[in-house]
Amino acid sequence: MAEQKRDYYEVLGVDKNADDAAIKKAYRALAKKYHPDMNPGDQEAEKKFKEASEAYAILSDPEKKRQYDQFGHAAFEQGGGGGGFGGFDFSGADFTDIFGDLFGDMFGGGRSRRQSNGPMKGSNVRTSVRITFEEAVFGVEKELDLTLKDSCPTCKGSGAKPGTSKTTCGKCGGKGQVVFTQQSFFGTVRNVQTCPDCGGSGQVIKEKCTDCHGSGYVSNRKKIQVTIPAGIDHGQSIRIRDKGEPGVNGGPRGDLLVEVMVQRHPIFQRQDYNIYSTVPVSFAVAALGGEILVDTVDGRVVYDVKAGAQTDTKVRLKGKGVPSLRDKSYRGDHYVTLVVQTPEKLSSEAKELLRQFDAATDNSLEAVKKYTENKKDKEKDPKDSKDSGGKGSKKKKGLFR
C-alpha cells in the first residue's frame, strides 16, 4: 500500500497564503536541520529532508503551486511518480540559491558571489596599541610602525611584466566565474563558483613582474600617527581611513583598525565613565574627622572626612571620572571607599592613652570580663534568680484573676 503523503504546506509548516520568501525560509530551516550530511546514517532525517525538498520543489514553482492548490497530490501522480516522495522528479526544480546559502552556513564556504571586474576597495588591516590608564582617560598621540602593502611602482599594480599586459582567462572566458554541476537527491544541481585560475578577475598574467612576482603589491615599513581620543576604553577600536590594503582595479584603499589595549592601574578601576578606588583612613581621623589626601587621575585632592566614619563609607568626587567619547563636556565621577586602618604597633604611652580612652567611652576592654563575672555570680546563687522569677510569676498570676 502506497504511503499517504502529507500536505506540502503542513510539511513546511507554512500557511497556504505564504509568499515565496516565507516558503523559502521555512524550507531552508528544515533542509539545514535534516540534511544527511548533518545527520549521517539517520534514515528518519533523510526521509524528512526528501519530504521537505519535494514540498519546496512544488510550492516554489508558481505553476506547480497553482496545480497543487487546485488538484492536490493528484496533479503530480501521473506516470508512476505518485505513491511516495522517493519517486518524485526534481529535475525541473532550481535549488542553486538555497543550497548555496545552506552549504555556506553549514561548512563555511557557500556559493561564490558574483565577482565584479570593476574597482573594489582593499581589505582592512588590523593592529593594536597599548596605552596607560591615564592615557585612556585624557587621550594621547601614538606612532605605529607597520608593514603595509603598496601598489608595485614597476608594474603600476597590474602584476604583469612592464611591456606586457594581462590576457583574458581561458577557463572562464573573462567572466570570473565557472559553472559546475553536481548530483544530489534532486538530480543534477547547477552551481557557480569563482574561477580558480583568475581568482574572479577574468584575466591572467602570463609574464609576471619580477619585483612583485605578479601580485601587483610590494611591502613597505610605515610610521602612522594615531590620535587616541580621551575616554576610550579597553578593547575599543579606532578606524583610520585609507590606511589598509590597496584597492583592486583602481579601487580605494581599505582602512586601518587599531584596537586599544589599556593597561591595568594599581589603584584605579573603571566602569563605564566612572572610576573607583579605596583610600586608607587612620583611626584618629575616622573617629574625630579630618582632612585626607585622595589620589585621582587629576592629581591629589583634599577631602574632609566626617567624624565617626566607618569602613566602607562611600565618597563621591564629582567630575573626577572619565570624559565621554560623545560629549566632551561630560565627565564621570570618582567613587572612593574609605577603609579605617587599625595601628599594628603602639608605644607603651599610646597603649595607655588608648586604655584611658576606652574606659571613658564604652569600656569595651572589660566587656568579656564583666560578662564572665556576672555569669559566675548567677551560677553560685541560683535561688535568688529562682525566687525572683517566682515572685514575678505570682504577680503575673494575680493580674489575670
Side-chain angles (χ1 to χ4, degrees), residues 171-209:
K171 188 175 186 66
C172 66
K175 296 180 180 179
Q177 297 176 322
V178 290
V179 179
F180 68 96
T181 58
Q182 63 184 32
Q183 296 297 321
S184 71
F185 291 104
F186 327 106
T188 301
V189 177
R190 181 177 178 272
N191 211 336
V192 180
Q193 69 174 183
T194 302
C195 177
D197 288 5
C198 66
S201 67
Q203 296 180 314
V204 293
I205 302 171
K206 289 191 174 181
E207 294 187 67
K208 297 180 180 180
C209 173

mmCIF file of all heavy atoms in Angstrom, residues 171-209:
data_model
loop_
_atom_site.group_PDB
_atom_site.id
_atom_site.type_symbol
_atom_site.label_atom_id
_atom_site.label_comp_id
_atom_site.label_asym_id
_atom_site.label_seq_id
_atom_site.Cartn_x
_atom_site.Cartn_y
_atom_site.Cartn_z
ATOM 1 N N LYS A 171 39.844 29.791 -18.907
ATOM 2 C CA LYS A 171 38.957 28.851 -18.223
ATOM 3 C C LYS A 171 37.542 29.405 -18.096
ATOM 4 O O LYS A 171 36.559 28.688 -18.280
ATOM 5 C CB LYS A 171 39.512 28.518 -16.832
ATOM 6 C CG LYS A 171 38.759 27.391 -16.133
ATOM 7 C CD LYS A 171 39.443 27.034 -14.830
ATOM 8 C CE LYS A 171 38.805 25.808 -14.187
ATOM 9 N NZ LYS A 171 38.999 24.581 -14.974
ATOM 10 N N CYS A 172 37.429 30.700 -17.771
ATOM 11 C CA CYS A 172 36.103 31.290 -17.574
ATOM 12 C C CYS A 172 35.709 32.238 -18.695
ATOM 13 O O CYS A 172 34.606 32.789 -18.678
ATOM 14 C CB CYS A 172 36.040 32.031 -16.236
ATOM 15 S SG CYS A 172 37.111 33.487 -16.155
ATOM 16 N N GLY A 173 36.619 32.455 -19.661
ATOM 17 C CA GLY A 173 36.311 33.349 -20.775
ATOM 18 C C GLY A 173 36.181 34.802 -20.354
ATOM 19 O O GLY A 173 35.484 35.583 -21.003
ATOM 20 N N GLY A 174 36.826 35.179 -19.239
ATOM 21 C CA GLY A 174 36.778 36.557 -18.776
ATOM 22 C C GLY A 174 35.613 36.871 -17.860
ATOM 23 O O GLY A 174 35.470 38.003 -17.396
ATOM 24 N N LYS A 175 34.767 35.891 -17.569
ATOM 25 C CA LYS A 175 33.601 36.134 -16.717
ATOM 26 C C LYS A 175 33.943 36.141 -15.226
ATOM 27 O O LYS A 175 33.204 36.681 -14.418
ATOM 28 C CB LYS A 175 32.537 35.077 -16.984
ATOM 29 C CG LYS A 175 31.974 35.126 -18.403
ATOM 30 C CD LYS A 175 30.928 34.049 -18.601
ATOM 31 C CE LYS A 175 30.351 34.083 -20.011
ATOM 32 N NZ LYS A 175 29.337 33.012 -20.224
ATOM 33 N N GLY A 176 35.053 35.502 -14.882
ATOM 34 C CA GLY A 176 35.432 35.440 -13.470
ATOM 35 C C GLY A 176 34.744 34.341 -12.705
ATOM 36 O O GLY A 176 34.998 34.155 -11.513
ATOM 37 N N GLN A 177 33.846 33.601 -13.390
ATOM 38 C CA GLN A 177 33.108 32.535 -12.724
ATOM 39 C C GLN A 177 33.044 31.310 -13.625
ATOM 40 O O GLN A 177 33.093 31.425 -14.852
ATOM 41 C CB GLN A 177 31.682 32.977 -12.400
ATOM 42 C CG GLN A 177 31.588 34.128 -11.426
ATOM 43 C CD GLN A 177 30.158 34.578 -11.237
ATOM 44 O OE1 GLN A 177 29.378 34.601 -12.193
ATOM 45 N NE2 GLN A 177 29.793 34.925 -10.015
ATOM 46 N N VAL A 178 32.963 30.157 -13.002
ATOM 47 C CA VAL A 178 32.787 28.919 -13.749
ATOM 48 C C VAL A 178 31.551 28.210 -13.206
ATOM 49 O O VAL A 178 31.232 28.292 -12.016
ATOM 50 C CB VAL A 178 34.015 27.994 -13.628
ATOM 51 C CG1 VAL A 178 35.202 28.575 -14.376
ATOM 52 C CG2 VAL A 178 34.371 27.743 -12.159
ATOM 53 N N VAL A 179 30.835 27.545 -14.094
ATOM 54 C CA VAL A 179 29.615 26.825 -13.738
ATOM 55 C C VAL A 179 29.939 25.346 -13.633
ATOM 56 O O VAL A 179 30.633 24.791 -14.488
ATOM 57 C CB VAL A 179 28.516 27.065 -14.791
ATOM 58 C CG1 VAL A 179 27.256 26.280 -14.423
ATOM 59 C CG2 VAL A 179 28.214 28.547 -14.923
ATOM 60 N N PHE A 180 29.458 24.728 -12.576
ATOM 61 C CA PHE A 180 29.663 23.284 -12.444
ATOM 62 C C PHE A 180 28.356 22.647 -11.992
ATOM 63 O O PHE A 180 27.475 23.310 -11.445
ATOM 64 C CB PHE A 180 30.787 22.973 -11.453
ATOM 65 C CG PHE A 180 30.470 23.316 -10.031
ATOM 66 C CD1 PHE A 180 29.984 22.363 -9.148
ATOM 67 C CD2 PHE A 180 30.650 24.615 -9.554
ATOM 68 C CE1 PHE A 180 29.687 22.682 -7.844
ATOM 69 C CE2 PHE A 180 30.353 24.935 -8.244
ATOM 70 C CZ PHE A 180 29.875 23.966 -7.387
ATOM 71 N N THR A 181 28.239 21.393 -12.246
ATOM 72 C CA THR A 181 27.033 20.646 -11.863
ATOM 73 C C THR A 181 27.414 19.514 -10.932
ATOM 74 O O THR A 181 28.542 19.014 -10.956
ATOM 75 C CB THR A 181 26.328 20.067 -13.106
ATOM 76 O OG1 THR A 181 27.253 19.223 -13.815
ATOM 77 C CG2 THR A 181 25.852 21.177 -14.026
ATOM 78 N N GLN A 182 26.475 19.142 -10.098
ATOM 79 C CA GLN A 182 26.707 18.029 -9.176
ATOM 80 C C GLN A 182 25.408 17.270 -8.977
ATOM 81 O O GLN A 182 24.314 17.816 -9.116
ATOM 82 C CB GLN A 182 27.247 18.541 -7.834
ATOM 83 C CG GLN A 182 26.289 19.443 -7.090
ATOM 84 C CD GLN A 182 26.907 19.999 -5.810
ATOM 85 O OE1 GLN A 182 28.109 20.211 -5.750
ATOM 86 N NE2 GLN A 182 26.076 20.212 -4.805
ATOM 87 N N GLN A 183 25.549 16.008 -8.692
ATOM 88 C CA GLN A 183 24.396 15.144 -8.479
ATOM 89 C C GLN A 183 23.966 15.229 -7.015
ATOM 90 O O GLN A 183 24.801 15.269 -6.111
ATOM 91 C CB GLN A 183 24.736 13.693 -8.843
ATOM 92 C CG GLN A 183 25.071 13.496 -10.312
ATOM 93 C CD GLN A 183 23.883 13.815 -11.218
ATOM 94 O OE1 GLN A 183 22.745 13.488 -10.890
ATOM 95 N NE2 GLN A 183 24.159 14.442 -12.356
ATOM 96 N N SER A 184 22.678 15.288 -6.793
ATOM 97 C CA SER A 184 22.144 15.334 -5.436
ATOM 98 C C SER A 184 20.888 14.463 -5.389
ATOM 99 O O SER A 184 20.566 13.763 -6.344
ATOM 100 C CB SER A 184 21.821 16.782 -5.047
ATOM 101 O OG SER A 184 20.694 17.227 -5.783
ATOM 102 N N PHE A 185 20.178 14.565 -4.287
ATOM 103 C CA PHE A 185 18.927 13.825 -4.152
ATOM 104 C C PHE A 185 17.896 14.285 -5.174
ATOM 105 O O PHE A 185 16.928 13.605 -5.454
ATOM 106 C CB PHE A 185 18.347 14.032 -2.744
ATOM 107 C CG PHE A 185 19.158 13.372 -1.676
ATOM 108 C CD1 PHE A 185 19.980 14.136 -0.856
ATOM 109 C CD2 PHE A 185 19.123 12.004 -1.491
ATOM 110 C CE1 PHE A 185 20.737 13.539 0.139
ATOM 111 C CE2 PHE A 185 19.875 11.406 -0.506
ATOM 112 C CZ PHE A 185 20.690 12.171 0.307
ATOM 113 N N PHE A 186 18.097 15.474 -5.727
ATOM 114 C CA PHE A 186 17.121 16.057 -6.622
ATOM 115 C C PHE A 186 17.520 15.939 -8.089
ATOM 116 O O PHE A 186 16.944 16.582 -8.951
ATOM 117 C CB PHE A 186 16.938 17.535 -6.279
ATOM 118 C CG PHE A 186 17.100 17.803 -4.820
ATOM 119 C CD1 PHE A 186 18.227 18.427 -4.333
ATOM 120 C CD2 PHE A 186 16.131 17.380 -3.933
ATOM 121 C CE1 PHE A 186 18.370 18.643 -2.988
ATOM 122 C CE2 PHE A 186 16.273 17.600 -2.579
ATOM 123 C CZ PHE A 186 17.390 18.222 -2.101
ATOM 124 N N GLY A 187 18.565 15.197 -8.365
ATOM 125 C CA GLY A 187 19.060 15.111 -9.728
ATOM 126 C C GLY A 187 20.285 16.001 -9.899
ATOM 127 O O GLY A 187 21.099 16.144 -9.005
ATOM 128 N N THR A 188 20.394 16.633 -11.051
ATOM 129 C CA THR A 188 21.542 17.479 -11.340
ATOM 130 C C THR A 188 21.280 18.903 -10.862
ATOM 131 O O THR A 188 20.278 19.513 -11.205
ATOM 132 C CB THR A 188 21.825 17.504 -12.853
ATOM 133 O OG1 THR A 188 22.064 16.155 -13.293
ATOM 134 C CG2 THR A 188 23.027 18.364 -13.165
ATOM 135 N N VAL A 189 22.192 19.419 -10.021
ATOM 136 C CA VAL A 189 22.069 20.774 -9.491
ATOM 137 C C VAL A 189 23.183 21.631 -10.086
ATOM 138 O O VAL A 189 24.345 21.251 -10.067
ATOM 139 C CB VAL A 189 22.165 20.780 -7.957
ATOM 140 C CG1 VAL A 189 22.100 22.208 -7.429
ATOM 141 C CG2 VAL A 189 21.037 19.956 -7.349
ATOM 142 N N ARG A 190 22.799 22.785 -10.600
ATOM 143 C CA ARG A 190 23.744 23.714 -11.214
ATOM 144 C C ARG A 190 24.231 24.714 -10.171
ATOM 145 O O ARG A 190 23.452 25.261 -9.414
ATOM 146 C CB ARG A 190 23.051 24.443 -12.369
ATOM 147 C CG ARG A 190 23.914 25.430 -13.143
ATOM 148 C CD ARG A 190 23.094 26.004 -14.292
ATOM 149 N NE ARG A 190 23.838 26.999 -15.051
ATOM 150 C CZ ARG A 190 23.885 28.284 -14.762
ATOM 151 N NH1 ARG A 190 23.231 28.726 -13.700
ATOM 152 N NH2 ARG A 190 24.577 29.128 -15.503
ATOM 153 N N ASN A 191 25.537 24.950 -10.140
ATOM 154 C CA ASN A 191 26.101 25.892 -9.178
ATOM 155 C C ASN A 191 27.194 26.719 -9.842
ATOM 156 O O ASN A 191 27.686 26.358 -10.912
ATOM 157 C CB ASN A 191 26.664 25.159 -7.961
ATOM 158 C CG ASN A 191 26.553 25.994 -6.704
ATOM 159 O OD1 ASN A 191 26.486 27.220 -6.767
ATOM 160 N ND2 ASN A 191 26.540 25.331 -5.560
ATOM 161 N N VAL A 192 27.553 27.803 -9.186
ATOM 162 C CA VAL A 192 28.540 28.733 -9.734
ATOM 163 C C VAL A 192 29.593 29.011 -8.678
ATOM 164 O O VAL A 192 29.280 29.147 -7.503
ATOM 165 C CB VAL A 192 27.856 30.059 -10.161
ATOM 166 C CG1 VAL A 192 28.888 31.018 -10.740
ATOM 167 C CG2 VAL A 192 26.750 29.793 -11.159
ATOM 168 N N GLN A 193 30.859 29.120 -9.102
ATOM 169 C CA GLN A 193 31.928 29.445 -8.172
ATOM 170 C C GLN A 193 32.955 30.337 -8.856
ATOM 171 O O GLN A 193 32.996 30.434 -10.092
ATOM 172 C CB GLN A 193 32.607 28.189 -7.635
ATOM 173 C CG GLN A 193 33.415 27.434 -8.646
ATOM 174 C CD GLN A 193 34.181 26.271 -8.040
ATOM 175 O OE1 GLN A 193 34.931 25.600 -8.715
ATOM 176 N NE2 GLN A 193 34.005 26.020 -6.758
ATOM 177 N N THR A 194 33.766 30.974 -8.048
ATOM 178 C CA THR A 194 34.815 31.831 -8.582
ATOM 179 C C THR A 194 35.811 31.005 -9.383
ATOM 180 O O THR A 194 36.189 29.907 -8.986
ATOM 181 C CB THR A 194 35.552 32.557 -7.442
ATOM 182 O OG1 THR A 194 34.616 33.321 -6.694
ATOM 183 C CG2 THR A 194 36.631 33.473 -7.976
ATOM 184 N N CYS A 195 36.231 31.550 -10.508
ATOM 185 C CA CYS A 195 37.199 30.844 -11.360
ATOM 186 C C CYS A 195 38.498 30.625 -10.590
ATOM 187 O O CYS A 195 39.089 31.585 -10.091
ATOM 188 C CB CYS A 195 37.463 31.652 -12.618
ATOM 189 S SG CYS A 195 38.711 30.909 -13.701
ATOM 190 N N PRO A 196 38.971 29.390 -10.488
ATOM 191 C CA PRO A 196 40.193 29.114 -9.730
ATOM 192 C C PRO A 196 41.460 29.618 -10.415
ATOM 193 O O PRO A 196 42.488 29.817 -9.764
ATOM 194 C CB PRO A 196 40.200 27.582 -9.612
ATOM 195 C CG PRO A 196 39.417 27.114 -10.804
ATOM 196 C CD PRO A 196 38.368 28.143 -11.022
ATOM 197 N N ASP A 197 41.410 29.849 -11.726
ATOM 198 C CA ASP A 197 42.601 30.281 -12.459
ATOM 199 C C ASP A 197 42.862 31.774 -12.328
ATOM 200 O O ASP A 197 44.010 32.205 -12.145
ATOM 201 C CB ASP A 197 42.480 29.907 -13.938
ATOM 202 C CG ASP A 197 42.628 28.413 -14.166
ATOM 203 O OD1 ASP A 197 42.723 27.673 -13.154
ATOM 204 O OD2 ASP A 197 42.623 27.970 -15.323
ATOM 205 N N CYS A 198 41.798 32.570 -12.420
ATOM 206 C CA CYS A 198 41.981 34.028 -12.386
ATOM 207 C C CYS A 198 41.516 34.648 -11.084
ATOM 208 O O CYS A 198 41.652 35.867 -10.904
ATOM 209 C CB CYS A 198 41.258 34.684 -13.555
ATOM 210 S SG CYS A 198 39.449 34.516 -13.478
ATOM 211 N N GLY A 199 40.957 33.833 -10.180
ATOM 212 C CA GLY A 199 40.508 34.363 -8.902
ATOM 213 C C GLY A 199 39.327 35.298 -9.005
ATOM 214 O O GLY A 199 39.081 36.107 -8.107
ATOM 215 N N GLY A 200 38.591 35.225 -10.115
ATOM 216 C CA GLY A 200 37.409 36.056 -10.295
ATOM 217 C C GLY A 200 37.657 37.333 -11.070
ATOM 218 O O GLY A 200 36.718 38.071 -11.360
ATOM 219 N N SER A 201 38.912 37.618 -11.415
ATOM 220 C CA SER A 201 39.208 38.858 -12.135
ATOM 221 C C SER A 201 38.903 38.762 -13.628
ATOM 222 O O SER A 201 38.729 39.767 -14.307
ATOM 223 C CB SER A 201 40.680 39.235 -11.945
ATOM 224 O OG SER A 201 41.531 38.279 -12.584
ATOM 225 N N GLY A 202 38.862 37.538 -14.140
ATOM 226 C CA GLY A 202 38.620 37.358 -15.576
ATOM 227 C C GLY A 202 39.866 37.489 -16.427
ATOM 228 O O GLY A 202 39.803 37.324 -17.651
ATOM 229 N N GLN A 203 41.011 37.772 -15.805
ATOM 230 C CA GLN A 203 42.272 37.936 -16.527
ATOM 231 C C GLN A 203 43.381 37.172 -15.826
ATOM 232 O O GLN A 203 43.364 36.996 -14.600
ATOM 233 C CB GLN A 203 42.642 39.419 -16.622
ATOM 234 C CG GLN A 203 41.649 40.247 -17.441
ATOM 235 C CD GLN A 203 42.053 41.704 -17.498
ATOM 236 O OE1 GLN A 203 42.402 42.310 -16.483
ATOM 237 N NE2 GLN A 203 42.014 42.287 -18.695
ATOM 238 N N VAL A 204 44.356 36.748 -16.613
ATOM 239 C CA VAL A 204 45.517 36.037 -16.073
ATOM 240 C C VAL A 204 46.800 36.700 -16.565
ATOM 241 O O VAL A 204 46.801 37.407 -17.579
ATOM 242 C CB VAL A 204 45.501 34.541 -16.493
ATOM 243 C CG1 VAL A 204 44.340 33.812 -15.847
ATOM 244 C CG2 VAL A 204 45.440 34.407 -18.011
ATOM 245 N N ILE A 205 47.865 36.487 -15.807
ATOM 246 C CA ILE A 205 49.163 37.074 -16.147
ATOM 247 C C ILE A 205 50.075 35.970 -16.679
ATOM 248 O O ILE A 205 50.335 34.981 -15.984
ATOM 249 C CB ILE A 205 49.802 37.729 -14.912
ATOM 250 C CG1 ILE A 205 48.860 38.801 -14.341
ATOM 251 C CG2 ILE A 205 51.157 38.326 -15.254
ATOM 252 C CD1 ILE A 205 49.309 39.337 -13.008
ATOM 253 N N LYS A 206 50.560 36.144 -17.886
ATOM 254 C CA LYS A 206 51.484 35.163 -18.458
ATOM 255 C C LYS A 206 52.936 35.477 -18.102
ATOM 256 O O LYS A 206 53.717 34.585 -17.811
ATOM 257 C CB LYS A 206 51.301 35.106 -19.967
ATOM 258 C CG LYS A 206 49.991 34.443 -20.383
ATOM 259 C CD LYS A 206 49.952 34.158 -21.879
ATOM 260 C CE LYS A 206 48.696 33.374 -22.253
ATOM 261 N NZ LYS A 206 48.634 33.046 -23.690
ATOM 262 N N GLU A 207 53.297 36.770 -18.134
ATOM 263 C CA GLU A 207 54.650 37.191 -17.756
ATOM 264 C C GLU A 207 54.549 38.090 -16.532
ATOM 265 O O GLU A 207 54.094 39.227 -16.624
ATOM 266 C CB GLU A 207 55.330 37.936 -18.913
ATOM 267 C CG GLU A 207 55.609 37.060 -20.135
ATOM 268 C CD GLU A 207 56.422 37.801 -21.180
ATOM 269 O OE1 GLU A 207 57.602 38.090 -20.879
ATOM 270 O OE2 GLU A 207 55.886 38.100 -22.254
ATOM 271 N N LYS A 208 54.954 37.557 -15.374
ATOM 272 C CA LYS A 208 54.807 38.277 -14.119
ATOM 273 C C LYS A 208 55.908 39.308 -13.899
ATOM 274 O O LYS A 208 57.040 39.126 -14.347
ATOM 275 C CB LYS A 208 54.797 37.295 -12.949
ATOM 276 C CG LYS A 208 53.626 36.328 -12.972
ATOM 277 C CD LYS A 208 53.675 35.392 -11.785
ATOM 278 C CE LYS A 208 52.485 34.424 -11.805
ATOM 279 N NZ LYS A 208 52.515 33.504 -10.643
ATOM 280 N N CYS A 209 55.557 40.377 -13.192
ATOM 281 C CA CYS A 209 56.520 41.409 -12.815
ATOM 282 C C CYS A 209 57.554 40.795 -11.882
ATOM 283 O O CYS A 209 57.204 40.095 -10.917
ATOM 284 C CB CYS A 209 55.790 42.568 -12.136
ATOM 285 S SG CYS A 209 56.864 43.820 -11.427
#
